[in-house]
Amino acid sequence: RSTLFPYTTLFRSVRTFVNLMDTYEGMKKHDGFTGSYYSTQKVICLHMNLKFMSKRFHDSLAQGIKFMSANEPPYLIHCYWGKDRTGLVCAVIECLMGASADEVVNDYMLSFYNIFGIEKGTGNYDFVADNEIEPFLASMLGVKNIYTVNLAEAAERYLRKIGVSVREIEILRAKLSS
């Protein structure tokens, strides 16, 4: 299984890592972790599951957002493939920062292009967008349609509901917009 550690020279400016997949114990077992740049930075291991509507997922996301708020950017958010957990977490953050539904969907779908070659304008692209990011995000944010609401407000409501404070949201927004 590939790891992030051989590639950390590419991420020398990153100071805060949000590892959605591993536990601390599991991360330390990866070949190359000890002595890596990654091992010397601020890292949180959330061991997040793929059940996007589960309490564990929401609790992990809240913990990750709080960690980002308490630490300095640039941030690197990752899991194993970088398309499911990472894609959805980044989608929520993009919504919080004022991205449009089209921008969020297009960004999420870049992973499917990069990993599987699924191109915009194809039936496969539409299938994934219609059956993954759009309904998952709508369900998480508690809205019927991501194209007809203020996503920034919906994301803030969602993050507050899962335990992120208004102050932590304000701090993260300021850090991400500077």
Side-chain angles (χ1 to χ4, degrees):
R1 150 167 134 154
S2 64
T3 67
L4 176 68
F5 312 116
Y7 307 104
T8 54
T9 56
L10 298 172
F11 306 115
R12 288 286 179 190
S13 68
V14 176
R15 298 287 181 251
T16 303
F17 292 82
V18 180
N19 182 329
L20 303 175
M21 176 186 67
D22 283 317
T23 63
Y24 287 106
E25 297 76 29
M27 183 177 63
K28 291 175 185 174
K29 291 178 184 175
H30 285 289
D31 188 33
F33 173 76
T34 303
S36 68
Y37 175 77
Y38 189 91
S39 71
T40 66
Q41 300 307 305
K42 299 281 185 175
V43 179
I44 188 168
C45 293
L46 297 173
H47 195 55
M48 184 180 272
N49 65 18
L50 290 166
K51 296 178 181 176
F52 301 131
M53 294 309 295
S54 71
K55 181 175 179 357
R56 180 173 155 201
F57 185 92
H58 298 302
D59 290 348
S60 295
L61 178 55
Q63 188 179 0
I65 296 293
K66 290 172 181 238
F67 182 78
M68 291 171 65
S69 173
N71 290 283
E72 293 306 310
Y75 307 110
L76 189 138
I77 301 168
H78 72 93
C79 59
Y80 188 75
W81 280 96
K83 64 176 187 59
D84 299 313
R85 289 169 285 211
T86 301
L88 198 51
V89 168
C90 290
V92 170
I93 293 169
E94 283 184 276
C95 290
L96 181 69
M97 295 304 294
S100 70
D102 284 329
E103 290 170 320
V104 173
V105 169
N106 288 334
D107 284 351
Y108 181 87
M109 292 304 297
L110 281 174
S111 296
F112 286 84
Y113 173 76
N114 292 333
I115 295 169
F116 304 114
I118 296 175
E119 295 186 30
K120 189 172 186 172
T122 65
N124 286 339
Y125 181 100
D126 294 340
F127 180 83
V128 173
D130 293 347
N131 292 286
E132 284 197 23
I133 184 60
E134 292 174 16
F136 290 161
L137 191 56
S139 184
M140 285 178 72
L141 299 182
V143 300
K144 289 184 180 188
N145 184 330
I146 63 172
Y147 291 95
T148 60
V149 297
N150 181 319
L151 289 175
E153 290 175 5
E156 183 169 342
R157 275 192 310 273
Y158 165 69
L159 291 174
R160 293 202 50 220
K161 180 180 173 184
I162 65 169
V164 181
S165 72
V166 171
R167 182 71 181 133
E168 289 162 328
I169 291 169
E170 289 172 354
I171 290 169
L172 182 61
R173 275 188 172 137
K175 287 180 177 185
L176 290 172
S177 63
S178 63

